[in-house]
Amino acid sequence: MGILTDPNNRQRTALGNIIINHFSKLSWLSYFAGLIFIFVLPHPLYNNKTYFSENALLPGLVTGEFNEDRTAERFYEDLKEENARYPGQAPFPWLEAQFKQLGLDVYRQSFTLNYPLANSSFTGSNVYAILRAPKAASTEALVLTAPHRPPSSPHQSTDAGIAVILASAKFFRRQIYWAKDIIFLITEHEFLGMQAWLEAYHGVSYGDGSIQPGKLAGRAGSIQAAINLEIDKPDITHINVKVEGLNGQLPNLDLVNLVNRLTLKEGLHQMFQGVEDHFKPDTYNGYMRSLKTMLNMMTSQATGVPSGNHGLFHRFGIEAVTLEGVHKRMKGRHKADFYTLGRITEGIFRSLNNLLERFHQSFFFYILSSGNRYISIGMYMPMIGLLGGGFVITALGLWFKLLLPHNDVQGADVSEVPVPWLVPQNFTRVLPIFFIAHALGLFAYAVPALAARAGAAFMIGPEESVPICLGSLTLLILLLPVLSRPNLSLPPGTNKVAKCLLCLELAALVGCTSLCNISLTTFITIFYLPLTLVARPTKGLLKVLVLLWTLLCQPLVLAGIVAAADTIRTFPNVGIYKLAVRSFEAWQRGIDRKSVV
């Protein structure tokens, strides 16, 4: 190892010589190999079929007995009437009455959100009922939940999902085989209600204390798993399983497999990321569909935003998924009804009831290319190793060059290569610049709160004031070299020292982030590695291209590009003007929410 790290050693290996003389080419080669590797991942020859590691689940081995489909239809019609009668309020009194008639322990929780970037607050309520296990002492619990969405909500209704919860509660109440408590939970205000309930249930507080959850009058056992329903109508053709949680966390793969297995058993087709599984994954069309599914998952995971209320359970060590009902007008597609939905729900909870311990087997780190094929952490880490390897190779090559004598560097300009004793001097000139850059980053982190208070004085909301101030700070930083006109006399090789430190920092970032959110790491590396490799004092057209690429990689600009791409994908048939307006609004909301987080 000493021979490799000491470039002046006469016994330097051939590997050391290759790194010194060709580190730039090797970095580009590693980068493009990583890009090619991305397209290898969804191929069925490289990934594997999903399977159960936890045999205690016993999925589908019991006979479904759900017979409350007519009750679910009645609940569904009554719920729609309640929503129409009180369109601006959640029908929680009606829900409480229904749960009490079933003989369950019913409680209501109130919560308040004090918005951290403005002098405003929101209030809401959650309703939950507890079915106590007849064969246990309330030590373990399962959760069946759904968010209530009013008719004015931009998201699809969840009325059918709430009806399934009520009908399941009535059916579960008569069974004697439950070994775990079952909590039926209806939340308000999407993520806010769920987060408030979870914080109150576990007695902890996350963030800056903006959410003030009310105390819970009743509790059950330690929650092992949760299922969130987002079903608007019973006549769906597909169940779309949502898995992405907060900051890219994923549930145990066995829970995903359980839902998919029981969905297929009841005659519905598998769907993941809005894409139906292809029946021949080894064909070209099957590969393209798998590639689309994988990229959709990586894009969703990279945002760090949960794809449903289930994503907030993960930070409490609870495995959870969301079942979304999807309508597809396709020939030969069996439509579900409340009987089918009830059997799926009963089968999932019957299987979860068999668990003897928490989910710990199977995978927590994976990428899905379809509902029944997965790429494990051991299979996708070589991809990020190739993509991020360019940072390490470049850092090693630059460091070796900085320590070599002039006559030992092939094809280098002597004026750009320092003698070894100048290297410490280069570090003393570069480190202040590094500290200033990081200090500006910390200042940008503090800008949203300051911008919100300043905007409130001029009657400007945080959704406008925060992006304006962050954009102004970005513009000021970009113009700082022009405005200050620094006259720096830096020793030769200073830019190489700065680039070496930058590569080491980015390599550490890639390595650490890849262990918790592989998708975010992949996209960061794809954008930033080419910029790092071409960053050097240049002139002419190359300088203009580097500046343009730097501008595109700026976080605010990159967030705008992602918001526009997501808007185009979500609303493909909208006109250009409306598309631009919605993209801008999505960018504003994204910046505002990320500032709060």
Side-chain angles (χ1 to χ4, degrees), residues 383-404:
M383 171 198 67
I384 202 63
L386 290 172
L387 284 174
F391 292 123
V392 179
I393 296 173
T394 302
L396 286 174
L398 289 171
W399 179 251
F400 291 167
K401 270 195 173 184
L402 289 169
L403 297 179
L404 281 178

Side-chain angles (χ1 to χ4, degrees), residues 7-234:
N8 295 312
N9 194 309
R10 292 186 178 182
Q11 299 180 4
R12 189 172 64 230
T13 62
L15 178 60
N17 287 326
I18 293 174
I19 293 176
I20 291 173
N21 298 317
H22 306 287
F23 68 89
S24 181
K25 296 178 182 178
L26 290 174
S27 298
W28 281 110
L29 179 63
S30 177
Y31 176 74
F32 286 113
L35 290 180
I36 295 173
F37 211 114
I38 295 176
F39 295 93
V40 175
L41 294 179
H43 198 279
L45 293 178
Y46 189 80
N47 51 53
N48 299 295
K49 287 186 176 181
T50 56
Y51 61 92
F52 284 95
S53 298
E54 181 54 80
N55 293 324
L57 288 170
L58 301 175
L61 296 185
V62 295
T63 302
E65 300 176 353
F66 186 80
N67 55 8
E68 296 292 344
D69 48 314
R70 293 187 178 275
T71 304
E73 292 177 2
R74 178 173 55 82
F75 283 136
Y76 178 60
E77 296 299 330
D78 293 346
L79 182 58
K80 289 196 297 183
E81 291 180 5
E82 290 291 325
N83 287 330
R85 187 180 305 172
Y86 307 102
Q89 300 177 358
F92 285 155
W94 180 83
L95 289 171
E96 287 179 305
Q98 301 306 316
F99 281 125
K100 287 180 180 178
Q101 289 180 6
L102 298 177
L104 304 178
D105 298 336
V106 185
Y107 309 94
R108 187 189 290 206
Q109 177 208 21
S110 299
F111 61 90
T112 302
L113 169 68
N114 296 317
Y115 191 59
L117 298 182
N119 188 19
S120 61
S121 61
F122 303 91
T123 59
S125 300
N126 299 319
V127 169
Y128 65 102
I130 302 176
L131 171 62
R132 304 291 180 181
K135 293 188 176 182
S138 294
T139 57
E140 298 175 343
L142 305 172
V143 175
L144 179 60
T145 179
H148 175 264
R149 293 171 178 169
S152 60
S153 174
H155 305 287
Q156 74 172 20
S157 170
T158 57
D159 291 348
I162 296 176
V164 170
I165 291 178
L166 292 170
S168 298
K170 182 177 181 180
F171 177 79
F172 292 174
R173 181 71 175 81
R174 301 195 303 269
Q175 311 307 316
I176 62 172
Y177 48 69
W178 298 115
K180 297 175 174 59
D181 295 341
I182 301 179
I183 303 173
F184 304 95
L185 172 63
I186 312 297
T187 61
E188 191 177 13
H189 298 319
E190 299 291 335
F191 293 157
L192 295 180
M194 182 58 70
Q195 182 65 25
W197 189 85
L198 286 171
E199 288 186 4
Y201 193 89
H202 294 90
V204 298
S205 178
Y206 283 93
D208 57 358
S210 300
I211 298 179
Q212 297 179 356
K215 294 183 178 180
L216 300 185
R219 283 183 173 82
S222 174
I223 301 175
Q224 288 191 316
I227 302 296
N228 181 53
L229 301 181
E230 294 182 359
I231 304 174
D232 59 341
K233 298 178 181 179

Side-chain angles (χ1 to χ4, degrees), residues 3 7 32 60 62 74 83 89 96 99 109 146 184 237 261-262 268 280 283 358 366 391 420 425 427 498:
I3 296 177
F32 286 113
V62 295
R74 178 173 55 82
N83 287 330
Q89 300 177 358
E96 287 179 305
F99 281 125
Q109 177 208 21
F184 304 95
T237 57
R261 179 71 63 86
L262 293 176
L268 291 181
K280 290 185 178 180
T283 61
R358 284 185 175 272
Y366 54 86
F391 292 123
Q425 182 179 349
F427 270 100

